[in-house]
């Protein structure tokens, strides 16, 4: 099936909504219908994009005119920040996923975006910028400034103003069975992996599975949470399913060979990071040193920095990171898009 923006039918009553090119923030969603019943798998990064998606779905599928259930596969904003447009539905997520949604609210992204844009205009750590950042409640100013060009580049097309964080109304642990009309739908918690509470959505009779960000196809996965072993196990679980259509969180539709490639990448990065951790290399040095030749065609290679950092924390037993802001600064440096490199 062509990787084109819009709604694609996978089986009778099962659809994928794709957003090329699948890079930062450009996620996929899903629609499951039977009779007049409907379930939406994920919303999009902002209300403008979510409204476009809902209009497309409602024009094509009568049951989508009234969404009865929404499943958020995980807490990242590009999979749940459009929830306010379907707030009358029952919104479901894993218990851990729902709890994580409050850790990075849309209001913080608005603040980060403002400070990033202002730092690019002012060009430095001036007193004015520090004062503004303080008033906005943005910490780690130096990291924000370093990451500013990168943050604006990857998130500049999204409109975060006016987004209201609408949290799930129902949560679960491990597994939850639902029906959409007469269709059986299985929600399976496979996190923590990409985030703290990742969920995949399986429609057994239609041989379809919606994988959220357990699958990035054509782009490097990013391990915000780990452990990586859980993510590898999630891939193995998908590979063992009797499915024909596999919908990733980002990128084109795939098959089990695509799932295997993601699993192999995670194993490779784990083993390469372990060697460098044991040799005493620092995180950024190790990320730079790991050859990505076999994945050279994949986008967002800068995510290797976060993946190595997460693995190092796993190896050492260190506490989870308190903020993602330094990660964006490090990724900007890796990609050659930090202020210091642009000004060099």
């Amino acid at each position: 099936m062509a990787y084109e923006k819009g709604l694609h039918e996978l089986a009778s009553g099962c659809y994928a909504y794709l957003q090329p090119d699948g890079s930062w923030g450009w996620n996929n969603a899903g629609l499951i219908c039977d009779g007049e019943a409907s379930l939406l798998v994920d919303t999009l990064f902002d209300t403008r994009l979510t409204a476009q998606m809902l209009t497309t779905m409602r024009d094509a599928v009568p049951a989508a005119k009234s969404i009865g259930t929404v499943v958020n596969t995980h807490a990242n904003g590009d999979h749940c920040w459009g929830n306010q447009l379907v707030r009358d539905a029952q919104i479901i997520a894993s218990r851990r996923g729902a709890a994580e949604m409050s850790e990075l609210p849309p209001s913080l992204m608005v603040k980060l975006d403002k400070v990033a844009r202002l730092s690019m205009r002012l060009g430095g750590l001036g007193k004015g910028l520090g004062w503004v950042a303080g008033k906005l409640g943005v910490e780690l100013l130096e990291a924000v400034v370093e990451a500013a060009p990168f943050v604006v580049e990857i998130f500049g097309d999204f409109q975060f103003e006016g987004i209201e964080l609408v949290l799930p109304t129902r949560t679960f642990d491990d597994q939850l069975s639902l029906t959409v009309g007469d269709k059986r739908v299985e929600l399976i918690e496979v996190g923590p992996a990409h985030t703290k509470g990742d969920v995949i959505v399986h429609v057994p009779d239609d041989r379809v599975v919606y994988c959220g960000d357990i699958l990035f196809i054509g782009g490097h996965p990013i391990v915000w949470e780990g452990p990586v072993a859980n993510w590898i196990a999630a891939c193995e679980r998908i590979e063992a399913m009797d499915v024909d259509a596999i919908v990733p969180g980002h990128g084109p539709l795939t098959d089990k060979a695509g799932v295997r490639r993601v699993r192999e990448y995670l194993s490779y990065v784990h083993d390469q990071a372990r060697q460098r951790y044991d040799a005493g290399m620092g995180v950024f040095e190790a990320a730079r040193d790991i050859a990505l030749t076999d994945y050279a065609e994949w986008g967002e290679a800068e995510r290797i920095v976060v993946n190595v950092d997460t693995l190092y924390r796993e190896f050492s037993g260190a506490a989870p990171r308190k903020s993602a802001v330094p990660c964006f600064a490090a990724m900007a440096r890796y990609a050659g898009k930090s202020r210091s490199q642009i000004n060099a």
Side-chain angles (χ1 to χ4, degrees):
M1 188 175 292
Y3 185 32
E4 298 175 351
K5 181 178 179 178
L7 195 65
H8 302 264
E9 188 168 14
L10 309 173
S12 179
C14 290
Y15 303 84
Y17 186 85
L18 306 181
Q19 289 197 107
D21 61 357
S23 60
W24 288 101
W26 297 103
N27 66 301
N28 301 324
L31 178 66
I32 304 167
C33 300
D34 188 55
E36 296 182 355
S38 60
L39 181 151
L40 179 67
V41 181
D42 285 330
T43 55
L44 306 183
F45 213 177
D46 64 28
T47 55
R48 173 181 58 91
L49 292 171
T50 302
Q52 290 175 1
M53 176 181 73
L54 291 173
T55 296
T56 298
M57 290 178 170
R58 288 164 177 164
D59 286 346
V61 184
K65 288 180 167 49
S66 179
I67 302 290
T69 304
V70 177
V71 175
N72 294 137
T73 59
H74 62 288
N76 286 170
D78 52 343
H79 294 259
C80 63
W81 282 0
N83 281 3
Q84 70 193 77
L85 299 188
V86 286
R87 67 192 314 156
D88 292 335
Q90 180 183 61
I91 302 175
I92 304 175
S94 69
R95 177 180 54 81
R96 283 179 289 209
E100 190 179 6
M101 287 180 191
S102 298
E103 295 179 10
L104 180 60
S107 57
L108 180 57
M109 183 62 81
V110 172
K111 295 173 182 178
L112 288 171
D113 182 69
K114 286 181 178 179
V115 173
R117 290 179 187 275
L118 184 58
S119 84
M120 290 177 67
R121 288 201 299 270
L122 294 182
L125 292 170
K127 291 182 179 179
L129 179 57
W131 181 85
V132 170
K135 296 291 283 185
L136 290 173
V138 175
E139 300 176 352
L140 302 165
L141 178 59
E142 186 174 354
V144 174
V145 171
E146 181 176 8
F150 179 63
V151 168
V152 171
E153 177 183 318
I154 63 175
F155 295 134
D157 290 333
F158 304 106
Q159 299 175 6
F160 300 118
E161 291 277 4
I163 296 176
E164 178 186 351
L165 182 62
V166 174
L167 295 172
T169 55
R170 181 180 182 183
T171 62
F172 71 97
D173 291 302
D174 300 326
Q175 192 157 337
L176 178 66
S177 295
L178 303 173
T179 55
V180 178
D182 291 329
K183 283 186 190 290
R184 179 165 58 95
V185 179
E186 300 291 338
L187 310 186
I188 305 166
E189 185 178 21
V190 294
H194 168 63
T195 62
K196 293 178 181 177
D198 303 289
V199 170
I200 61 175
V201 180
H202 184 207
V203 190
D205 292 342
D206 292 323
R207 300 163 64 94
V208 174
V209 61
Y210 301 86
C211 299
D213 282 2
I214 290 300
L215 290 185
F216 291 76
I217 301 299
H220 288 255
I222 184 165
V223 189
W224 287 117
E225 187 66 24
V228 167
N230 279 7
W231 198 331
I232 291 170
C235 290
E236 291 172 339
R237 188 164 190 167
I238 296 165
E239 290 177 84
M241 287 179 168
D242 183 16
V243 291
D244 295 323
I246 300 175
V247 184
H250 294 259
L253 300 174
T254 193
D255 55 16
K256 291 185 180 181
V259 183
R260 185 177 65 250
R261 283 278 281 163
V262 172
R263 172 172 54 80
E264 290 170 347
Y265 169 91
L266 293 166
S267 294
Y268 172 75
V269 172
H270 175 278
D271 293 346
Q272 294 293 311
R274 183 78 224 196
Q275 292 174 20
R276 287 157 180 79
Y277 174 83
D278 291 342
M281 279 190 182
V283 169
F284 193 80
E285 181 188 7
R288 278 292 197 192
D289 195 56
I290 294 174
L292 297 176
T293 309
D294 290 344
Y295 308 98
E297 76 278 13
W298 290 10
E300 298 77 59
E302 65 274 1
R303 293 172 178 169
I304 187 68
V305 181
V306 179
N307 297 343
V308 172
D309 181 65
T310 301
L311 283 162
Y312 270 41
R313 290 173 184 275
E314 182 180 326
F315 299 152
S316 68
R321 64 177 67 89
K322 295 181 179 180
S323 171
V325 173
C327 293
F328 283 99
M331 285 189 285
R333 208 177 315 133
Y334 183 98
K337 295 178 180 178
S338 68
R339 173 178 294 284
S340 60
Q341 289 169 303
I342 287 173
N343 290 343

